[in-house]
Amino acid sequence: MKLKYDSYYGSFGGRFNPEILHGVFTELTETFEKVKADNNFWLEYEKILKNYSGRPTPITEATNLTAHFKGAKILIKREDLNHTGSHKIDNVVGQGLLAQRMGKKRLIAETGAGQHGVAVATIAAKLGFSCTIYMGEIDAKRQRPNVFWMEKLGAEVIEIKSGSRTLKEAINEAFRDWVNNPKDTHYLLGTACGPHPFPSLVAWLQSIIGKEAKRQMIKDYQKLPTKIIASVGGGSNSLGIFQEFIEHKEVGLVAVEAAGLGVDTDNHSMRLTANKGTVGIAQGYKTLFFQDEEGQMRKTHSIAAGLDYIGVSPILAYLVEKKRIDCAAISDKEALIAAKLTMRKEGIIPALESAHALAQAFKEAPKMDKKDIILVNLSGRGDKDIFNFGDLFFDKKWQTFIKQKAANQIESKI
Amino acid sequence: MKLKYDSYYGSFGGRFNPEILHGVFTELTETFEKVKADNNFWLEYEKILKNYSGRPTPITEATNLTAHFKGAKILIKREDLNHTGSHKIDNVVGQGLLAQRMGKKRLIAETGAGQHGVAVATIAAKLGFSCTIYMGEIDAKRQRPNVFWMEKLGAEVIEIKSGSRTLKEAINEAFRDWVNNPKDTHYLLGTACGPHPFPSLVAWLQSIIGKEAKRQMIKDYQKLPTKIIASVGGGSNSLGIFQEFIEHKEVGLVAVEAAGLGVDTDNHSMRLTANKGTVGIAQGYKTLFFQDEEGQMRKTHSIAAGLDYIGVSPILAYLVEKKRIDCAAISDKEALIAAKLTMRKEGIIPALESAHALAQAFKEAPKMDKKDIILVNLSGRGDKDIFNFGDLFFDKKWQTFIKQKAANQIESKI
Amino acid sequence: MINSDFLSSYIKKERQAKPILIMAHLVLGYPDFKTNHEQVDVMVKAGADIIEMQIPFSEPIADGPVIAKANQLSLARGTKIQDCLDFAQKVTTRHPKKAFIFMSYVNILFMRGIANIISQSEKAGIKGWIVPDLPPEEADVYLAECAKHKISPIFIYAPTHSLARLKTLANYSKGMIYAVARKGITGGKTNFNQELIERLTIYRKIAKKPLAVGFGISQAEDVDFLIGKADIVVIGSKLIEVLDEGGLTALDLFLRKIRGNH
Amino acid sequence: MINSDFLSSYIKKERQAKPILIMAHLVLGYPDFKTNHEQVDVMVKAGADIIEMQIPFSEPIADGPVIAKANQLSLARGTKIQDCLDFAQKVTTRHPKKAFIFMSYVNILFMRGIANIISQSEKAGIKGWIVPDLPPEEADVYLAECAKHKISPIFIYAPTHSLARLKTLANYSKGMIYAVARKGITGGKTNFNQELIERLTIYRKIAKKPLAVGFGISQAEDVDFLIGKADIVVIGSKLIEVLDEGGLTALDLFLRKIRGNH
Ligand SMILES: Cc1ncc(COP(=O)(O)O)c(C=O)c1O
Ligand SMILES: Cc1ncc(COP(=O)(O)O)c(C=O)c1O
């Protein structure tokens, strides 16, 4: 079972674009085909990630968590150590190079929580692109620190004040921008979703995670992991680590979705889990969506901004259908508890997204043998979540600090 | 000129402790001598840093900054990519292992800005120590996010409400704790200062930075840098990168202090710069201090919390005296401008400490030849400085965000 | 084939009497179905020739802010697909001389079942369908069902298209070709200029079908400009704005002003 | 050597009449020199035998909060080293029967010049010096200057010391040995218990010098406890607290209460 990086994966994927996007997608697909066949592209890609982002990221043995759960050995792939703090950097570096090959001068992107926006602004600065980030007004309000950094990195952040004023409005606006500037602009989509070739392109770029992990496992542990667990927003970090192991049937692959307030509530972001998502076509591609019986998208919820999404990578939908990947769901509360435990036991502050994968590992480890190995993909660091952690742990001192900051806003001395 | 990791470096260093500390320092010195002679210790140290912190950190070629300044090629050693975001992790991992060898069960530390406290709390969690961090009440107020993380990492943070309620009170309190618990506790000092063996110990541990850098320079550039530039708080990151090159006379070494509001004002943190610091003995060691003619310490200032210190590593004082290291001073304003430029040109958010080294590089690069290479030690990432950046850039949207956060503190849902 | 295409014949016939036809757009269930009835009545009386009825969708990626918001509000009021089909049945019966077409996004068809919704559309008197996010490459079933049920599948021309793409779309489109006047998405400002004239000339040559021009038409002058260059003008966002601001009376006035000129 | 040691002889002589001597501590310039004069007068009249005068330093790492704060406030008022020497000159002249010693941190001596400050101390009538952050290993010049100027260098015993260390310090210390009753730093609560008794017994054996016990003495009972086990009690933080709270009258009362019992 080898992925072909095609437009369809089984019945999932495709390209359902307004005609106006036909040209840009044709150009993008052709360039993708070209660089995929060009080994030099991959070498340049690896080199930048090495020298700029510190790849390969290490695998840390979570000795204390392993001892705590008394089961499988827990290993952690440390995507949090990447430049900008998550696996997102791979995709933006890769598409940045692609855009250079296409002779583009400008990168645009949508962003929800702001992580992808910061990554795009970063790579735009490094590779010399001008940069516009679209962000719903509500998201921009919630994620002011990220907006602040995007601007300081030189990006223009446009806040969308129409419609839902969240991610989907930002996507529409970004597409609108793209079709108005097809010559000089590349739209840098943030995950393995959307119309072909984005799912293939992003999955291919992120496959560097699994390639590294396989090499590291063989070198340091002389075997492959029993299970690999990763959280699923759009699917880029999970596919990133899974792909290299798909052919190795003996390796279990677990994709973890956000169960939000609970699997039995309506406030979640489950799509892969049986009976939660149904096949639909929206935002340009066919996959499992969290929608009603008439095809209207429903409101998702997760404590982790990056998991709070209506669709999912068609590649994941396919691999789950084929039963090559299992899926699981973790609630907000379980994720928070897992995050706390990981901080205390391993000194690692996980992103709330990644905490979902950890929580699933903590459920599975005690049931497994001590000879088994669970490899968790820790997709990002949790510093970015301080406002969430602070609010959610109901930390009194933190709240007082914020109040005082507000009271004493000082003027620039300079 | 090879460093001996001795108690004295020329006339600097020594150990001027209250008698009550005699025992703990004797034990620490003996253990340091032992592990220094034991190659396995260094191998274990390197292995943890590799698997836990992602060392070696890469060297990034700052192509855009190089083009901008039209002089020497500017390279950046990326200590910001370390776990917890700075070079501080090396020292805490190393001393953590040392404490294990001594059979200690508990780590204590002082912290000013909180970076060192977070690093110690992190390694305490990972290596299974209990942990107490002393912090002046004023510092704790200013650096609430770091206090928050220390606590979540499982450390007890004790806020000192007496005296100046800043770093020096915290140091006193930590020493007091240590002498009350000499058997089970190790005091993990954060920089290459203090009574012997701390300067030697910390410099030795941090020498890993320069060892890597030398290997990387030879492998990727087939030569050593013309100059290496690093910022100086206590001296650990600068000595960390300098040491390996001390014997290579052709490599210029520049230590950058904080000129604060300006070299001609009283609001700075200069000690190495001629006529700014004078030889004195305080806090247990002999070095250059920012003091008055009677030996009373003066008030230091820097926009960068980590550079705002009255003393400096005796090893640096010695090497500056011997003219092996040059020193320079960068003002708050110059550092901020350098930080901004580095974000825009390279997509890297430097810590304000590291921005001082960058600013110096930007002064020197245009005067140098295109064949020359400047290697800047980027000691840490700047995310931690968002409150400073936000205030100092006088960002209106950021300030509104903080006000709203204060207004809408929400209660925990869980 | 040509004989089975009601929409082509209808347009050809109407065009003999009028220099340009008007296709008026509304979002079903917005502001509510009662108003929709009156809206259609006004449109028909004021001289609209084709009524384009949009079945609302939660992710209207090809629509601008005005229509997107109408979609959102209609859904918030609980609009269902069946309501839209029932509504179509009523208005096509009430206005048998006019042509009605549906517009919606592919997921609405897909979730209902393409065969189901196309056959239901035919029964409801609908003559054509526009599905902006269904390119012909993905449209096998849709095209087959349209053919079976005498529904004209209408495809869209964009300013960014290559000649090859224009030809491909012409092959699949029935009844008319819907040309987007400007880059970008519905509801903004269009430049009615020389470049547009040249584009429309090329479209005509390639399409060999009635040409509808939409997106950004907001005043009588725009319509004037298009006479002789297109067969149909499509008015979308502007009609919703007019209705939102001035109600049915304003809508009537606006359409009459446009129609009255011709 | 023994003959040149004024402090030893003085203590030996005074101890013949008293079961234990009192060493009273003050921080020079705190609250101000005028009060310091009256403070010393009160101490002397109330029966203190040795006055320990601390020259303030900005980094008093061996002091607890009370004394540290007094250091800070004294410096904030502008206290200079010369003021302290001048003050010493006056009080030693005024109270020729008592012994006065200086206490400060090494940087004060170092920056003034060790030879300079030791000789000036001698001229000002000072008999001993305590420098808590100057261990004998770093003290060559200091020891030589003390010897030259008949100043007793006083070293400190800590509960954590090995026997070897106790011996080393005994070799260097003149006039007395200053024993820290509890771990930690000045000004907290000490347990006057069996462990302390054992420790003091060992100290006596090794030191073969008058033994002063300090840190944490806050009431007459503490002093009682030490009779027969030490030669001198040192009262530091407590005296500052008493002065801060009740002024010179309270200081007088407090000292008399302690002295009066014996
Ligand atoms: C840290 C982190 N992990 C996971 C995700 C989920 O996205 P994906 O499934 O594409 O990896 C995000 C998305 O923002 C993220 O920031
Ligand atoms: C990022 C960073 N750089 C530099 C310093 C200065 O310390 P040192 O001179 O010991 O490297 C600090 C201290 O906190 C720091 O956090």
Side-chain angles (χ1 to χ4, degrees):
Chain A
M1 192 169 196
K2 207 174 158 81
L3 291 180
K4 269 183 34 230
Y5 297 122
D6 222 336
S7 67
Y8 268 96
Y9 298 83
S11 62
F12 301 103
R15 185 192 292 160
F16 297 83
N17 276 338
E19 275 301 326
I20 195 122
L21 294 172
H22 186 79
V24 288
F25 271 90
T26 306
E27 185 194 11
L28 181 61
T29 308
E30 282 166 9
T31 314
F32 172 47
E33 294 299 333
K34 242 180 263 163
V35 302
K36 207 164 33 132
D38 175 4
N39 198 40
N40 285 332
F41 180 87
W42 188 267
L43 291 177
E44 187 183 355
Y45 173 61
E46 271 191 339
K47 190 174 158 197
I48 295 198
L49 285 173
K50 175 168 180 285
N51 293 335
Y52 187 62
S53 185
R55 297 208 78 97
T57 58
I59 288 180
T60 299
E61 192 164 328
T63 42
N64 302 325
L65 288 169
T66 301
H68 184 77
F69 288 108
K70 300 189 178 66
K73 189 196 289 295
I74 300 173
L75 302 182
I76 297 177
K77 177 71 172 161
R78 297 292 303 283
E79 293 301 305
D80 60 313
L81 292 175
N82 272 304
H83 187 51
T84 76
S86 81
H87 69 292
K88 298 264 167 196
I89 192 78
D90 303 335
N91 176 43
V92 299
V93 165
Q95 288 197 47
L97 290 177
L98 204 79
Q100 279 187 335
R101 298 248 168 154
M102 290 189 282
K104 309 282 180 177
K105 302 279 171 251
R106 180 166 172 267
L107 297 179
I108 59 172
E110 85 294 349
T111 196
Q115 286 304 105
H116 177 54
V118 170
V120 174
T122 295
I123 212 62
K126 179 64 187 163
L127 298 182
F129 291 97
S130 73
C131 182
T132 302
I133 305 292
Y134 291 96
M135 195 168 186
E137 189 186 23
I138 291 177
D139 288 336
K141 275 226 178 72
R142 279 195 288 228
Q143 303 288 341
R144 185 55 58 192
N146 281 332
V147 176
F148 178 80
W149 292 126
M150 283 181 251
E151 290 178 345
K152 294 297 165 261
L153 288 160
E156 174 193 26
V157 180
I158 297 185
E159 296 182 23
I160 312 303
K161 297 180 202 302
S162 63
S164 64
R165 294 180 292 147
T166 58
L167 184 60
K168 68 183 168 191
E169 246 47 64
I171 292 175
N172 282 348
E173 202 61 36
F175 272 120
R176 207 168 300 188
D177 180 324
W178 200 12
V179 300
N180 281 317
N181 304 285
K183 276 239 170 58
D184 74 333
T185 297
H186 174 63
Y187 177 16
L188 208 166
L189 207 132
T191 187
C193 286
H196 180 72
F198 279 120
S200 300
L201 170 59
V202 177
W204 179 64
L205 291 170
Q206 292 288 7
S207 72
I208 194 169
I209 304 173
K211 289 199 172 94
E212 280 176 15
K214 188 164 151 191
R215 229 172 25 236
Q216 290 165 325
M217 287 303 303
I218 289 169
K219 179 156 180 287
D220 295 341
Y221 296 90
Q222 292 79 49
K223 60 176 174 178
L224 299 185
T226 320
K227 276 194 184 174
I228 304 178
I229 303 182
S231 69
V232 178
S236 69
N237 88 81
S238 52
L239 281 167
I241 196 163
F242 290 162
Q243 285 169 93
E244 193 69 17
F245 297 90
I246 286 175
E247 287 180 86
H248 298 276
K249 293 258 165 61
E250 71 279 18
V251 179
L253 306 174
V254 186
V256 185
E257 302 188 283
L261 300 187
V263 282
D264 301 325
T265 70
D266 282 339
N267 300 92
H268 61 77
S269 303
M270 291 185 281
R271 300 129 301 168
L272 295 169
T273 304
N275 306 320
K276 297 295 177 184
T278 51
V279 184
I281 305 164
Q283 299 190 338
Y285 68 117
K286 190 170 178 182
T287 193
L288 294 165
F289 286 98
F290 184 45
Q291 58 181 342
D292 69 16
E293 53 304 322
E294 296 225 316
Q296 310 295 354
M297 298 300 140
R298 298 172 65 176
K299 236 178 100 51
T300 50
H301 162 83
S302 170
I303 188 183
L307 304 187
D308 189 359
Y309 179 53
I310 48 165
V312 69
S313 177
I315 311 179
L316 274 182
Y318 167 67
L319 291 167
V320 168
E321 187 188 64
K322 288 281 163 213
K323 300 205 186 320
R324 179 61 193 96
I325 293 177
D326 295 325
C327 56
I330 288 293
S331 71
D332 291 351
K333 190 171 171 175
E334 289 170 319
L336 264 180
I337 291 169
K340 273 179 157 175
L341 193 70
T342 306
M343 290 185 227
R344 296 244 162 174
K345 292 281 175 190
E346 302 295 339
I348 296 171
I349 302 172
L352 285 173
E353 290 82 1
S354 323
H356 286 71
L358 289 163
Q360 182 62 23
F362 299 166
K363 278 189 183 170
E364 303 204 13
K367 298 183 221 149
M368 290 167 69
D369 195 89
K370 282 204 199 311
K371 281 190 216 122
D372 290 334
I373 294 179
I374 295 181
L375 176 61
V376 178
N377 198 33
L378 197 117
S379 51
R381 57 175 145 92
D383 315 32
K384 70 174 177 74
D385 291 321
I386 188 160
F387 289 103
N388 293 329
F389 276 116
D391 289 346
L392 290 162
F393 289 157
F394 192 44
D395 189 285
K396 277 246 192 274
K397 281 187 261 174
W398 168 254
Q399 300 191 347
T400 309
F401 167 72
I402 289 295
K403 284 202 192 108
Q404 284 171 351
K405 262 277 150 196
N408 314 326
Q409 296 283 12
I410 58 164
E411 308 254 333
S412 171
K413 294 188 210 162
I414 290 160
Chain B
M1 194 169 194
K2 206 172 160 83
L3 291 179
K4 269 184 33 230
Y5 297 122
D6 223 336
S7 67
Y8 268 95
Y9 298 83
S11 62
F12 302 103
R15 186 192 291 159
F16 296 83
N17 278 337
E19 275 301 323
I20 196 122
L21 294 171
H22 185 79
V24 289
F25 272 89
T26 306
E27 186 194 10
L28 181 61
T29 308
E30 282 167 9
T31 315
F32 172 48
E33 294 300 332
K34 244 180 261 162
V35 301
K36 209 166 30 135
D38 174 5
N39 197 41
N40 285 331
F41 179 87
W42 188 267
L43 290 177
E44 188 183 354
Y45 173 61
E46 271 192 339
K47 190 175 158 196
I48 295 198
L49 285 173
K50 175 169 181 286
N51 293 334
Y52 187 61
S53 185
R55 297 209 78 97
T57 58
I59 288 178
T60 298
E61 193 164 326
T63 41
N64 302 325
L65 287 170
T66 301
H68 184 76
F69 288 107
K70 302 187 177 65
K73 190 197 289 295
I74 300 173
L75 302 183
I76 297 178
K77 177 71 172 160
R78 299 292 303 282
E79 293 301 304
D80 60 312
L81 292 175
N82 271 303
H83 187 50
T84 76
S86 82
H87 69 292
K88 297 263 166 196
I89 192 78
D90 302 334
N91 176 42
V92 299
V93 165
Q95 288 197 46
L97 291 176
L98 204 79
Q100 279 188 335
R101 299 248 168 154
M102 290 189 281
K104 309 283 178 175
K105 302 280 171 251
R106 182 166 171 267
L107 298 179
I108 60 173
E110 85 294 348
T111 196
Q115 286 305 102
H116 178 54
V118 169
V120 174
T122 295
I123 211 62
K126 179 64 186 164
L127 298 182
F129 291 98
S130 73
C131 182
T132 302
I133 304 292
Y134 291 96
M135 196 167 185
E137 189 186 23
I138 291 178
D139 288 336
K141 275 227 179 72
R142 279 195 287 229
Q143 304 287 340
R144 186 54 59 192
N146 281 333
V147 175
F148 178 80
W149 293 126
M150 284 181 248
E151 290 179 345
K152 295 299 167 255
L153 288 160
E156 174 193 26
V157 179
I158 297 185
E159 296 181 23
I160 312 303
K161 297 180 203 301
S162 63
S164 64
R165 294 179 293 147
T166 58
L167 185 60
K168 69 182 168 192
E169 247 43 67
I171 293 176
N172 282 348
E173 202 61 38
F175 273 122
R176 208 168 300 188
D177 179 324
W178 200 15
V179 300
N180 281 317
N181 304 285
K183 277 238 169 58
D184 74 333
T185 297
H186 174 64
Y187 177 17
L188 208 165
L189 207 132
T191 187
C193 286
H196 180 71
F198 280 120
S200 299
L201 170 58
V202 177
W204 179 63
L205 292 170
Q206 292 289 7
S207 71
I208 194 168
I209 304 173
K211 289 198 172 93
E212 281 176 14
K214 188 164 151 190
R215 230 173 23 238
Q216 290 166 325
M217 288 302 303
I218 289 169
K219 180 157 178 286
D220 295 341
Y221 296 89
Q222 293 78 47
K223 59 176 174 179
L224 299 185
T226 319
K227 275 196 186 175
I228 305 179
I229 303 183
S231 69
V232 178
S236 68
N237 89 80
S238 52
L239 281 168
I241 197 162
F242 289 163
Q243 286 170 93
E244 194 68 17
F245 298 89
I246 286 176
E247 286 180 88
H248 298 277
K249 295 257 165 63
E250 71 278 18
V251 179
L253 306 174
V254 186
V256 185
E257 302 189 282
L261 300 187
V263 281
D264 301 324
T265 71
D266 282 338
N267 300 91
H268 61 78
S269 302
M270 291 184 280
R271 299 130 301 168
L272 295 170
T273 304
N275 306 321
K276 297 294 177 183
T278 51
V279 183
I281 305 164
Q283 299 191 337
Y285 67 118
K286 189 170 177 181
T287 194
L288 294 165
F289 286 99
F290 184 44
Q291 58 182 341
D292 69 17
E293 54 304 322
E294 296 226 315
Q296 309 295 355
M297 298 301 140
R298 298 172 65 176
K299 237 177 100 46
T300 50
H301 162 83
S302 171
I303 189 184
L307 304 188
D308 189 359
Y309 179 52
I310 48 166
V312 68
S313 178
I315 311 179
L316 274 182
Y318 168 67
L319 292 168
V320 167
E321 187 188 61
K322 288 281 163 214
K323 300 206 186 320
R324 178 61 191 95
I325 293 178
D326 294 325
C327 55
I330 288 293
S331 71
D332 290 352
K333 189 170 174 178
E334 290 170 319
L336 265 179
I337 290 169
K340 274 179 155 173
L341 193 70
T342 305
M343 291 184 225
R344 296 246 163 173
K345 292 281 173 189
E346 302 294 337
I348 296 171
I349 302 172
L352 284 173
E353 290 81 0
S354 323
H356 286 71
L358 289 163
Q360 182 62 24
F362 300 166
K363 278 190 185 171
E364 303 205 12
K367 297 183 223 150
M368 291 167 70
D369 194 271
K370 283 204 198 312
K371 281 191 217 121
D372 291 333
I373 295 180
I374 295 181
L375 176 62
V376 178
N377 198 32
L378 197 118
S379 52
R381 58 174 144 92
D383 315 31
K384 69 173 178 74
D385 290 321
I386 188 160
F387 288 103
N388 293 329
F389 276 115
D391 288 347
L392 290 164
F393 288 159
F394 193 44
D395 189 285
K396 277 249 193 271
K397 281 187 260 174
W398 170 255
Q399 300 192 348
T400 308
F401 168 71
I402 289 295
K403 284 202 192 106
Q404 283 171 351
K405 263 278 149 195
N408 315 325
Q409 296 283 8
I410 59 164
E411 308 254 331
S412 171
K413 295 188 210 163
I414 290 161
Chain C
M1 271 287 252
I2 286 182
N3 286 349
S4 76
D5 187 2
F6 170 86
L7 213 49
S8 299
S9 326
Y10 172 79
I11 292 165
K12 224 169 270 168
K13 202 185 71 207
E14 295 298 316
R15 271 285 273 115
Q16 286 164 2
K18 297 169 191 162
I20 198 156
L21 306 188
I22 290 176
M23 177 153 122
H25 169 277
L26 71 161
V27 174
L28 294 176
Y30 177 81
D32 51 53
F33 280 104
K34 192 177 154 286
T35 309
N36 290 159
H37 270 290
E38 298 165 345
Q39 226 173 324
V40 171
D41 284 355
V42 166
M43 287 169 171
V44 168
K45 274 193 214 135
D49 306 287
I50 305 169
I51 314 291
E52 180 194 6
M53 302 188 296
Q54 180 164 355
I55 304 178
F57 179 49
S58 59
E59 313 300 311
I61 59 168
D63 286 302
V66 173
I67 295 178
K69 195 168 169 206
N71 274 261
Q72 200 187 326
L73 294 175
S74 170
L75 290 173
R77 295 191 65 255
T79 301
K80 297 278 177 248
I81 300 172
Q82 193 57 50
D83 302 333
C84 298
L85 288 164
D86 294 347
F87 179 85
Q89 181 75 69
K90 283 180 205 147
V91 287
T92 56
T93 313
R94 188 174 159 90
H95 303 291
K97 298 242 175 84
K98 298 288 171 177
F100 288 83
I101 66 175
F102 266 157
M103 182 274 202
S104 193
Y105 289 86
V106 59
N107 204 41
I108 295 299
L109 291 83
F110 180 78
M111 290 297 286
R112 175 88 179 187
I114 290 177
N116 175 298
I117 201 164
I118 297 295
S119 72
Q120 300 268 321
S121 303
E122 185 195 16
K123 283 199 197 108
I126 293 295
K127 304 301 180 192
W129 254 102
I130 299 176
V131 189
D133 60 344
L134 186 62
E137 290 79 2
E138 303 280 3
D140 286 358
V141 179
Y142 167 75
L143 289 170
E145 291 297 326
C146 283
K148 201 160 126 194
H149 293 285
K150 306 202 185 68
I151 297 277
S152 305
I154 299 162
F155 288 93
I156 295 172
Y157 274 9
T160 50
H161 276 151
S162 64
L163 288 183
R165 185 71 186 165
L166 295 175
K167 275 181 200 150
T168 305
L169 293 170
N171 284 342
Y172 291 106
S173 207
K174 301 261 174 303
M176 65 174 99
I177 283 283
Y178 188 155
V180 178
R182 57 173 192 93
K183 298 180 200 171
I185 297 173
T186 62
K189 190 96 199 90
T190 301
N191 282 331
F192 292 91
N193 55 18
Q194 192 53 31
E195 190 260 331
L196 179 61
I197 297 176
E198 280 162 23
R199 210 137 43 74
L200 293 178
T201 314
I202 296 171
Y203 288 178
R204 286 221 151 178
K205 256 196 217 141
I206 293 176
K208 299 193 184 94
K209 287 201 174 54
L211 200 58
V213 175
F215 291 29
I217 286 144
S218 64
Q219 51 187 355
E221 291 75 50
D222 300 342
V223 181
D224 283 347
F225 175 89
L226 288 171
I227 288 177
K229 300 168 191 110
D231 302 292
I232 306 158
V233 289
V234 189
I235 317 179
S237 301
K238 185 66 190 177
L239 293 188
I240 294 185
E241 283 171 355
V242 167
L243 184 77
D244 282 351
E245 280 163 27
L248 290 164
T249 325
L251 181 66
D252 186 47
L253 218 75
F254 178 82
L255 281 170
R256 280 181 198 279
K257 190 164 169 217
I258 282 180
R259 185 77 291 176
N261 285 340
H262 316 288
Chain D
M1 272 286 250
I2 286 183
N3 287 348
S4 75
D5 186 1
F6 170 87
L7 213 49
S8 301
S9 326
Y10 172 80
I11 293 164
K12 226 169 268 167
K13 202 186 72 204
E14 295 298 315
R15 271 287 271 114
Q16 286 166 1
K18 298 167 191 166
I20 199 156
L21 307 189
I22 290 176
M23 178 154 121
H25 168 276
L26 71 161
V27 173
L28 294 177
Y30 177 81
D32 50 54
F33 280 104
K34 191 175 157 285
T35 310
N36 289 158
H37 269 289
E38 298 163 343
Q39 226 173 327
V40 171
D41 284 353
V42 166
M43 286 168 171
V44 168
K45 273 190 212 137
D49 306 289
I50 305 168
I51 313 291
E52 179 194 6
M53 302 187 296
Q54 179 163 355
I55 304 177
F57 179 50
S58 59
E59 313 298 309
I61 60 169
D63 286 300
V66 173
I67 295 179
K69 196 170 167 203
N71 274 260
Q72 199 186 328
L73 294 174
S74 170
L75 290 173
R77 295 192 64 255
T79 301
K80 298 279 177 246
I81 299 171
Q82 193 57 50
D83 302 333
C84 299
L85 288 164
D86 294 347
F87 179 85
Q89 181 75 68
K90 283 179 203 148
V91 287
T92 55
T93 311
R94 186 174 161 91
H95 304 288
K97 299 242 173 83
K98 299 287 171 179
F100 288 82
I101 65 175
F102 267 156
M103 183 274 202
S104 194
Y105 288 86
V106 60
N107 205 41
I108 295 299
L109 291 81
F110 179 77
M111 290 297 287
R112 175 87 180 187
I114 291 177
N116 175 299
I117 200 165
I118 298 295
S119 73
Q120 300 268 321
S121 303
E122 186 196 17
K123 283 198 196 109
I126 292 296
K127 303 301 180 191
W129 255 102
I130 300 176
V131 189
D133 60 346
L134 185 62
E137 290 80 1
E138 302 280 4
D140 287 357
V141 179
Y142 168 74
L143 290 169
E145 291 298 325
C146 282
K148 201 161 124 191
H149 293 286
K150 305 200 184 71
I151 297 276
S152 305
I154 300 163
F155 289 93
I156 296 173
Y157 274 10
T160 50
H161 277 150
S162 64
L163 288 182
R165 186 70 186 166
L166 296 175
K167 274 180 203 151
T168 305
L169 293 170
N171 284 341
Y172 290 106
S173 208
K174 301 261 175 303
M176 65 175 97
I177 283 283
Y178 188 156
V180 178
R182 58 174 191 91
K183 297 179 200 169
I185 296 173
T186 62
K189 189 98 199 87
T190 302
N191 282 331
F192 292 92
N193 56 19
Q194 192 55 31
E195 188 261 331
L196 179 60
I197 296 176
E198 279 162 23
R199 212 140 40 75
L200 293 177
T201 316
I202 296 171
Y203 287 176
R204 287 221 151 180
K205 257 196 217 139
I206 293 175
K208 298 193 183 94
K209 286 202 173 55
L211 200 58
V213 176
F215 291 30
I217 286 145
S218 65
Q219 52 188 353
E221 292 75 48
D222 300 342
V223 180
D224 283 347
F225 175 88
L226 288 171
I227 289 176
K229 300 170 191 105
D231 301 293
I232 306 157
V233 290
V234 189
I235 317 180
S237 300
K238 184 67 190 176
L239 293 187
I240 293 186
E241 284 172 354
V242 168
L243 183 77
D244 281 350
E245 279 163 29
L248 290 163
T249 326
L251 181 67
D252 186 48
L253 219 75
F254 179 83
L255 280 170
R256 278 179 200 282
K257 193 166 166 214
I258 282 180
R259 185 79 292 177
N261 286 340
H262 316 288

